[in-house]
Structures are given as C-alpha cells and as structure tokens.
Amino acid sequence: MIESIPQKYKWVFILTKESTKKYMILTEEEIGDGDTYVLGDLMDDGWEIFCDLCHTHKQAVMYMNDYFPEYTLMRYQIVPITFKEAKLFVGKYHRHHVAPQGCKFAVAATDGEIILGVIVAGRPVSRYRDDGKTLEVTRLCVKKGYKNLCSLLYSKVSHIAKEMGYQNLITYTLLEESGKSLLASGFTLIGSNRGGSWNSKSRRRMDKHPVAGKNVYNKSLVG
C-alpha cells in the first residue's frame, strides 16, 4: 500500500529566472489548471521550472539555500510609477477595465526587472462619496501567477493614503469576484449596487467598463 503524503507537505514547483537569479515557489493549486493555468504567463516573463519537490514551503527554501545559493527568493519591490506608465500597463493587462481618466497617485510592484502590477488611487467616482476625506482605488491590475501581490498593493496604497491624511479608502469589485485580497488587506464589504450605464438619451456615451452590479468595500484609515 502506498503511504499518503502528510497534509503539511505539498507538491511544489520551484521556478527560476536566470536574468535576475531569483526563484519562486508555487504549489500545484497555484500553478492551476484550465482557465487559471498560469505557467505560460510566467514563462513569458522569463520564469522556468527548475525542479519539483514534495516539501513544505519552508523546506523548499532551505533546499534552495543549501544546494543552489546562487539563487535568492524573489521578493516584490514597490516603486513609484507615473500615471502614463500605469495607464499603459492597465490597458495591456486588465481583464475587463480600461485605465481611469485621472489619479492622485499610482505605485507599481516589480521583481527587480519588470513591472508585475500597478494600483491607481484617485477621487471617488461617486460624487456622494467624494467628501475630501475619502480616496478610491480606481484600478488594480496584476499579472497572473504572482501570489499575494494584490494584498500587498492594497496594503501599500492604504499606508500612503493614511499618510496623506485620508480617513477612508474605498473600492469596487464585480459581484462574481471573491474579494479575498481586499478582506486580507483590512477592507470590509459595506454593500453592493446594481451597476449601470453612463449612456443616456440626453448624453450618449460608449461604455468602456462592465455595467453589471458591483460590491463596495471600505477600509477605515483612522487610528
């Protein structure tokens, strides 16, 4: 009888990037399958599968440190980015939104070589929430395969907004999106709306955004 693998162990893949001498560790679930398969996207960024092991994450790190010290674990770097650069990234990689029209500031995450994700913060789109004390995350866009990156960018923009004196940070997601990254970053689901179109008989517009309902999240920056 074949012994089962203890639950604390997982089949992990170690990916390396020769241009930066960095490595990352992904589980089978994080590599994904079907519509969530991310290996091709990572390979486009220069990552290759180095090996696969039945290890915990900690053991995989120890393995690389002991036997392949020329590689170091990839850590995200947060860097400033211009609004023009952020718009280009969103336009290329966002699944369902075009870039916003303006912003207060934007920041990016890199692997030390290329941009992996951007987050844009601006005035609330809804005039009812635009009280001078509230900032809105108007766009978050990350490449596939880079785990925990959304939560990191939400946390960074929260810190910057608080330092600027804002009291609340809000954002919206589509109803079918889980919001896990937002909840992990301290946001609270405060409601939902029916969505809608900007187009009307009196003012014709072409919608460039999803018109379905959205969830509304808020993070208090006070205290």
Side-chain angles (χ1 to χ4, degrees):
M1 180 177 178
I2 300 175
E3 295 184 4
S4 61
I5 299 173
Q7 287 188 348
K8 68 176 181 177
Y9 295 99
K10 289 187 175 182
W11 205 266
V12 298
F13 294 86
I14 298 176
L15 288 79
T16 56
K17 190 173 184 181
E18 286 301 314
S19 59
T20 59
K21 287 296 180 182
K22 303 290 185 182
Y23 73 90
M24 69 164 72
I25 302 167
L26 295 176
T27 65
E28 281 186 297
E29 293 81 6
E30 289 164 342
I31 289 288
D33 54 45
D35 292 338
T36 62
Y37 192 73
V38 300
L39 186 56
D41 297 278
L42 293 172
M43 293 179 73
D44 287 342
D45 286 347
W47 294 93
E48 297 181 353
I49 293 181
F50 186 73
C51 65
D52 56 311
L53 306 162
C54 182
H55 273 348
T56 63
H57 186 280
K58 183 177 180 180
Q59 287 175 330
V61 171
M62 292 174 61
Y63 170 81
M64 291 299 289
N65 290 344
D66 290 342
Y67 295 102
F68 301 97
E70 65 271 27
Y71 294 98
T72 57
L73 183 64
M74 191 270 287
R75 300 187 185 281
Y76 302 126
Q77 300 175 28
I78 302 298
V79 298
I81 188 174
T82 66
F83 181 49
K84 181 179 180 180
E85 291 172 315
K87 286 179 67 175
L88 289 172
F89 188 90
V90 171
K92 185 174 182 179
Y93 293 107
H94 205 288
R95 292 181 294 116
H96 50 71
H97 267 304
V98 297
Q101 294 301 307
C103 78
K104 291 288 186 179
F105 66 88
V107 294
T110 81
D111 64 353
E113 184 179 50
I114 61 173
I115 295 174
L116 306 177
V118 301
I119 190 165
V120 181
R123 289 176 57 182
V125 174
S126 169
R127 66 179 184 273
Y128 300 109
R129 300 184 186 276
D130 190 11
D131 56 7
K133 301 175 183 178
T134 301
L135 196 68
E136 180 178 329
V137 174
T138 54
R139 215 61 93 238
L140 172 71
C141 180
V142 301
K143 288 187 171 184
K144 294 180 181 178
Y146 296 96
K147 60 182 181 180
N148 303 323
L149 184 51
C150 291
S151 298
L152 174 63
L153 286 170
Y154 279 128
S155 295
K156 290 297 181 182
V157 81
S158 300
H159 176 75
I160 295 170
K162 182 175 181 178
E163 290 296 309
M164 292 175 70
Y166 288 98
Q167 296 182 6
N168 289 284
L169 184 63
I170 62 169
T171 195
Y172 300 81
T173 67
L174 299 180
L175 293 177
E176 63 265 26
E177 294 177 313
S178 69
K180 288 190 296 184
S181 297
L182 286 162
L183 298 174
S185 305
F187 283 79
T188 301
L189 178 63
I190 60 172
S192 60
N193 62 38
R194 293 176 297 176
S197 172
W198 291 106
N199 186 41
S200 66
K201 290 183 179 180
S202 61
R203 192 171 186 182
R204 294 295 182 183
R205 294 183 180 182
M206 181 179 294
D207 293 310
K208 297 180 180 179
H209 66 285
V211 295
K214 297 178 179 66
N215 287 322
V216 188
Y217 290 83
N218 179 77
K219 182 176 182 179
S220 174
L221 305 176
V222 179

